[in-house]
Amino acid sequence: MKYLRTVLPPVLVGILAIAGWELTVKAGRIAPFILPAPSAIWAELVEQRGNVFDAALASGANALAGLIGGAVVAVLVAMATSRVRLLSEISVPFAAVLNALPIIALAPILNNMFETTSSVPRRLVAGIIVFFPVFINTLRGLREVDPTHRELMDSYAAGGWTFARLVRLPGALPYVFTGLRQASSLAVIAAVVAEYFGGLQDGLGSRITSAAAFTAYPRAWAFVVGACVLGLVFYLTTLLLERIATPWKTRS
């Protein structure tokens, strides 16, 4: 019953929004070339399901590589930063600069640095976008250590690595996953948007721009739906991993 009360309202709102969208387009209030009807998008999605799936796999691979790479680097930098004050003063402003970099400026530059058949630029873009939320949240978690735990480990004469492995990292896990939940969707967005600026034409972003260029707007929206589903899969997978890694948080 609890899950029903949580899930039912947004589902009903979504159904009503789609119905209103369909009726508005059918009534001629919105031109189909500006915003196609949901029924037209669905028909195109069914017809292009194989292409949408293949493109989602390509974009998903880039997003996953960027998510893993960016998250690992972010956690390692956060661990080093939390131990050394000088690194903290340098890394936090640097991370803020990275977060301020626009994808539309970053992607073309990286594309020109690598071969046109390389997926590295898109994965780098995703990794850079992922870095900031994971880094900031992990750093916050590493800094918030219970004084009682610190005193206990000091009484055992625990070394820095032992203290980090047994206290700091487990305590920071909820913060790490908070950053990962934010970064999971951002990785998909970054990977798809990076595909707008050249390179391999195998992902969702390149398929969207190609369909729009040929005025096949329902097809373009079908690939947009594929990108939305891909982002949702990434988010739900991260949420599932969080529940597995932090069972005490779920029970509380």
Side-chain angles (χ1 to χ4, degrees):
M1 184 61 69
K2 176 184 176 182
Y3 290 104
L4 186 62
R5 289 198 302 267
T6 303
V7 173
L8 190 58
V11 169
L12 290 177
V13 171
I15 293 174
L16 290 174
I18 292 175
W21 175 1
E22 179 79 21
L23 293 174
T24 302
V25 175
K26 294 297 185 182
R29 298 296 182 179
I30 302 178
F33 65 87
I34 296 177
L35 185 63
S39 57
I41 297 173
W42 175 255
E44 197 69 33
L45 182 62
V46 172
E47 182 178 346
Q48 297 288 331
R49 60 186 180 277
N51 292 331
V52 173
F53 181 77
D54 292 340
L57 285 180
S59 296
N62 293 332
L64 182 60
L67 179 61
I68 294 174
V72 169
V73 172
V75 171
L76 293 176
V77 173
M79 290 178 63
T81 299
S82 65
R83 297 289 302 277
V84 182
R85 184 177 181 83
L86 178 61
L87 286 178
S88 178
E89 295 176 352
I90 296 173
S91 61
V92 173
F94 181 72
V97 170
L98 285 180
N99 186 54
L101 287 174
I103 300 175
I104 58 174
L106 188 62
I109 295 174
L110 291 177
N111 277 331
N112 290 332
M113 294 171 61
F114 295 88
E115 297 179 356
T116 57
T117 57
S118 175
S119 296
V120 173
R122 299 166 183 183
R123 298 179 180 185
L124 285 176
V125 170
I128 291 171
I129 298 301
V130 162
F131 178 84
F132 183 77
V134 177
F135 169 74
I136 291 297
N137 283 280
T138 302
L139 182 61
R140 180 184 175 189
L142 291 172
R143 286 175 171 173
E144 294 191 5
V145 178
D146 191 326
T148 304
H149 295 162
R150 185 182 296 275
E151 293 175 3
L152 178 62
M153 297 304 291
D154 288 342
S155 68
Y156 287 122
W161 169 243
T162 302
F163 181 72
R165 180 171 56 88
L166 298 179
V167 177
R168 295 171 72 91
L169 283 176
L173 272 181
Y175 295 89
V176 174
F177 277 104
T178 296
L180 284 174
R181 276 190 274 111
Q182 298 171 3
S184 60
S185 299
L186 291 176
V188 175
I189 295 172
V192 171
V193 173
E195 293 167 353
Y196 292 168
F197 303 96
L200 287 172
Q201 302 296 300
D202 60 346
L204 291 166
S206 58
R207 300 296 178 88
I208 292 170
T209 54
S210 176
F214 287 96
T215 67
Y217 297 111
R219 188 189 309 165
W221 275 93
F223 286 107
V224 170
V225 172
C228 294
V229 173
L230 181 63
L232 186 61
V233 168
F234 267 62
Y235 180 82
L236 292 178
T237 302
T238 306
L239 196 62
L240 177 60
L241 291 176
E242 180 180 11
R243 289 179 178 271
I244 295 173
T246 59
W248 65 87
K249 184 181 176 183
T250 304
R251 287 195 296 267
S252 60

